[in-house]
Amino acid sequence: MAVLVVAEHDNKSIRKATLNAVTAAHKLGADLHVLVAGDQARPAAEAAAQIAGVTKVLLADAPHLGAFLAENVAALVAGLSKSYSHILAPATSNGKNVMPRVAALLDVQQISDICAVESADTFVRPIYAGNALATVKSADPVKVITVRTTAFDAAPASGGSAPVEPVSPPADAGLSAFVSREFSKSERPELTAAKVIVSGGRGMASGENFTKVLEPLADKLGAAMGASRAAVDAGFVPNDWQVGQTGKIVAPDLYIAVGISGAIQHLAGMKDSRVIVAINKDEEAPIFQVADYGIVGDLFQIVPAVVEELKK
Amino acid sequence: MKILVSVKRVVDFNVKVRVKADGTGVETANVKMSMNPFDEIAVEEAMRLKEAGVAKEIVVVSCGPQACQETLRTALAIGADRAILVETDTELQPLAVAKLLRKIVEKEQPGVVILGKQAIDDDANQTGQMLAALLNWPQATFASKLKLSSDKAEVTREVDGGLETLSIRLPAVVTTDLRLNEPRYVTLPNIMKAKKKTLETLKPEALGVDVAPRLTTVKVVEPAKRKAGIKVPDAKALIEKLRNEAKVL
């Protein structure tokens, strides 16, 4: 049976998280379909058709799918489920919102945030903020899965030429309506896709210091900027910067933690980074137990010095 | 309006968990247990709605072993009016909890059900969405702001990239994000008062729900440990290491 990936997209293009989910889906079957549900989403469907290894793209195009409301999208996905052995989505906020609803409609137990595929029914997923890895086996007829994107490489976005087939969605459930959206504007790379991340914590002491001290470093490295929960709760930066168990999970090549103590909840979001650098004045801070390179000292002196060194 | 809040007893968020030597799970014997932090936020939000005159009664529910009574007493001490324990020693997975909650919802007829967005032990982030599906109610997950009127709720949600506001019809299911509110501390007089509040105990069989787990845990292991790193004296040494040793610059 075929495998279905529910695409994350903005109606015009496919988001990278989808490519990671496609790689996970490849381990489960050769016949791989991608569902693009949206409003005037043909461009996104055409982009999905280019993904290497995709054999068919299903396009559900309707005004009531535009905001990706869980009630409408879940009904659509559940309706398509008969032809599939596995239904996957990236563990983004959309995937986490919609997929458990799909699973309940199908009376199956969803498997969240998988980080490895052992076989068609056995998967590995982190529990307890990533402090343990559980291997779980599902006895359900359809496996409904969300994929931890940082655990799978992105499938090539080109090289494929799948046909795009329209599907008609169920009518608007009328239970919910989209009101508004407020996106944090940023010129920087997206946090979950960035190769380098510069992250600040409570030690930054103010939002201003993020701009004054941390931003020059991020600029120099072409890095995305992140934050610990303490920095977000203190109002220094918007909450979509948060890296951790309850924020974003990242795994860049280089993660620079500045003024972050390294609480369990933060480590859960970044400890799979390739190289971790910690700058902290507290020698005992837990962040030094996971950092490849650490500097003990005042971040307000060290960070500008690092920027100077990078200019050389 | 009646508000139903679901709470879970989990290993305290400050505890560094240890994987059992036989790989069957995580050590929970003699470990400090507390209310799941997201659920505390759910109880607090219900309290604020009651204090604002929007909600009349707050009913808290927990599913699990008898010890969950403590968690329910904590919720009662925060201010919930009464509690229901669905008692079972079976390992409960989100689908089973959602089915149990559906039965309670059908009995209690609340206007809103508030849950935490995820439990910090299984990190599933599913129960609220599943409950909404089973009831065919709208859902507003990862809420950071909740405005209730008689037949509608306006909910601001935390999504990748920012915030999104939805208008949902009541009755509905809402799951809380950390930024929804700051839970209050429980005071001693309120703990004493909570002891007198009603706590009803039910069994899954009595509710007609099959709670058998659908997922089998094959094994639980510790994640690969990172190698201990080194401390460098200054910025110059750091950049040198990143360029020549780690080769990430």
Side-chain angles (χ1 to χ4, degrees):
Chain A
M1 272 221 280
V3 174
L4 182 70
V5 173
V6 181
E8 176 89 13
H9 65 89
D10 60 3
N11 291 318
K12 292 180 201 74
S13 61
I14 292 290
R15 294 218 177 92
K16 189 185 154 271
T18 309
L19 304 177
N20 305 104
V22 163
T23 300
H26 260 309
K27 298 176 193 281
L28 297 165
D31 206 5
L32 200 162
H33 300 181
V34 171
L35 170 69
V36 174
D39 184 14
Q40 301 184 5
R42 180 156 278 276
E46 274 164 14
Q50 308 281 311
I51 302 170
V54 172
T55 53
K56 186 156 72 174
V57 174
L58 305 178
L59 170 61
D61 213 336
H64 67 271
L65 295 174
F68 220 78
L69 295 170
E71 296 78 9
N72 291 333
V73 179
L76 165 69
V77 177
L80 296 169
S81 67
K82 276 192 190 65
S83 331
Y84 297 100
S85 59
H86 298 77
I87 305 176
L88 298 89
T92 54
S93 53
N94 278 332
K96 290 175 182 173
N97 187 36
V98 169
M99 295 301 269
R101 194 168 176 115
V102 173
L105 292 175
L106 302 175
D107 192 30
V108 305
Q109 174 56 56
Q110 185 192 257
I111 310 147
S112 296
D113 229 0
I114 62 162
C115 57
V117 174
E118 299 255 292
S119 70
D121 64 1
T122 308
F123 307 90
V124 183
R125 57 177 306 266
I127 53 174
Y128 289 90
N131 287 301
L133 292 174
T135 304
V136 294
K137 193 177 161 109
S138 164
D140 285 321
V142 187
K143 275 66 168 171
V144 176
I145 296 167
T146 62
V147 177
R148 175 165 289 205
T149 55
T150 56
F152 296 89
D153 294 333
S158 62
S161 58
V164 177
E165 193 177 282
V167 291
S168 43
D172 189 350
L175 295 169
S176 56
F178 171 78
V179 177
S180 64
R181 192 169 286 153
E182 196 184 314
F183 281 151
S184 332
K185 289 193 186 73
S186 173
E187 309 274 297
R188 300 189 176 282
E190 197 215 337
L191 195 53
T192 51
K195 290 244 179 279
V196 182
I197 295 174
V198 174
S199 219
R202 200 197 302 272
M204 295 304 299
S206 75
E208 242 167 72
N209 288 334
F210 267 82
T211 322
K212 229 167 51 193
V213 182
L214 228 45
E215 209 173 79
L217 177 60
D219 283 342
K220 199 72 209 144
L221 294 166
M225 286 176 79
S228 70
R229 189 183 157 204
V232 171
D233 282 352
F236 298 168
V237 292
N239 54 37
D240 53 311
W241 287 33
Q242 187 187 320
V243 172
Q245 182 187 18
T246 58
K248 295 212 170 72
I249 313 287
V250 300
D253 288 344
L254 174 60
Y255 187 91
I256 306 182
V258 182
I260 292 177
S261 66
I264 296 173
Q265 110 88 28
H266 186 75
L267 299 183
M270 47 65 84
K271 68 184 164 58
D272 291 327
S273 306
R274 197 153 76 76
V275 175
I276 297 174
V277 170
I279 300 171
N280 204 299
K281 65 176 182 217
D282 175 12
E283 203 172 341
E284 303 297 318
I287 191 77
F288 286 118
Q289 291 163 21
V290 300
D292 300 279
Y293 303 104
I295 303 185
V296 179
D298 181 2
L299 71 93
F300 295 104
Q301 282 158 19
I302 294 166
V303 175
V306 170
V307 176
E308 279 311 306
E309 279 299 321
L310 282 168
K311 285 181 185 160
K312 284 182 191 166
Chain B
M1 183 188 304
K2 188 193 282 183
I3 297 186
L4 191 78
V5 181
S6 152
V7 296
K8 183 177 185 183
R9 179 175 181 264
V10 297
V11 171
D12 188 84
F13 74 100
N14 271 317
V15 172
K16 175 104 178 70
V17 296
R18 292 236 295 275
V19 172
K20 283 187 198 165
D22 63 1
T24 55
V26 161
E27 201 58 71
T28 52
N30 303 315
V31 170
K32 188 186 176 204
M33 306 292 279
S34 305
M35 189 190 297
N36 180 41
F38 290 99
D39 303 348
E40 276 185 62
I41 292 168
V43 178
E44 174 66 33
E45 194 64 19
M47 278 304 290
R48 292 185 188 193
L49 289 165
K50 193 179 168 191
E51 284 157 357
V54 182
K56 266 214 163 75
E57 190 188 21
I58 302 169
V59 181
V60 280
V61 190
S62 192
C63 306
Q66 207 202 354
C68 296
Q69 284 196 5
E70 290 165 32
T71 316
L72 289 169
R73 288 287 171 206
T74 306
L76 293 171
I78 298 171
D81 296 290
R82 60 191 169 87
I84 302 170
L85 170 63
V86 182
E87 195 188 328
T88 172
D89 287 324
T90 312
E91 178 212 336
L92 293 177
Q93 290 172 352
L95 183 64
V97 176
K99 288 180 176 178
L100 292 170
L101 292 176
R102 168 171 60 171
K103 293 291 176 183
I104 305 288
V105 167
E106 283 166 357
K107 222 169 82 156
E108 296 285 340
Q109 302 279 322
V112 176
V113 183
I114 311 181
L115 305 88
K117 79 165 177 182
Q118 79 190 57
I120 59 164
D121 51 0
D122 66 15
D123 283 333
N125 194 335
Q126 299 177 13
T127 310
Q129 295 89 315
M130 290 183 149
L131 175 63
L134 297 175
L135 292 164
N136 194 27
W137 284 7
Q139 68 188 50
T141 51
F142 329 145
S144 59
K145 208 188 278 173
L146 173 61
K147 269 194 285 182
L148 277 188
S149 59
S150 60
D151 61 341
K152 267 195 325 210
E154 199 165 278
V155 190
T156 303
R157 307 176 54 229
E158 299 204 356
V159 295
D160 296 337
L163 298 171
E164 172 182 288
T165 302
L166 300 180
S167 167
I168 56 175
R169 236 169 56 188
L170 297 185
V173 174
V174 175
T175 74
T176 62
D177 213 304
L178 283 169
R179 268 160 294 269
L180 184 60
N181 60 48
E182 184 104 13
R184 68 194 64 187
Y185 286 103
V186 177
T187 60
L188 189 59
N190 284 343
I191 292 173
M192 301 314 287
K193 266 190 244 164
K195 291 188 176 165
K196 297 201 185 81
K197 292 182 181 173
T198 324
L199 195 158
E200 181 189 355
T201 302
L202 299 166
K203 295 278 182 187
E205 303 80 59
L207 294 168
V209 176
D210 174 13
V211 294
R214 301 289 188 84
L215 299 180
T216 322
T217 301
V218 180
K219 63 174 179 196
V220 176
V221 298
E222 275 191 39
K225 284 234 168 19
R226 287 190 76 95
K227 269 189 294 173
I230 54 161
K231 297 220 171 103
V232 293
D234 54 25
K236 188 169 184 288
L238 174 68
I239 296 303
E240 196 273 325
K241 291 280 185 199
L242 290 178
R243 278 197 177 126
N244 303 324
E245 198 175 274
K247 299 193 192 308
V248 282
L249 294 182

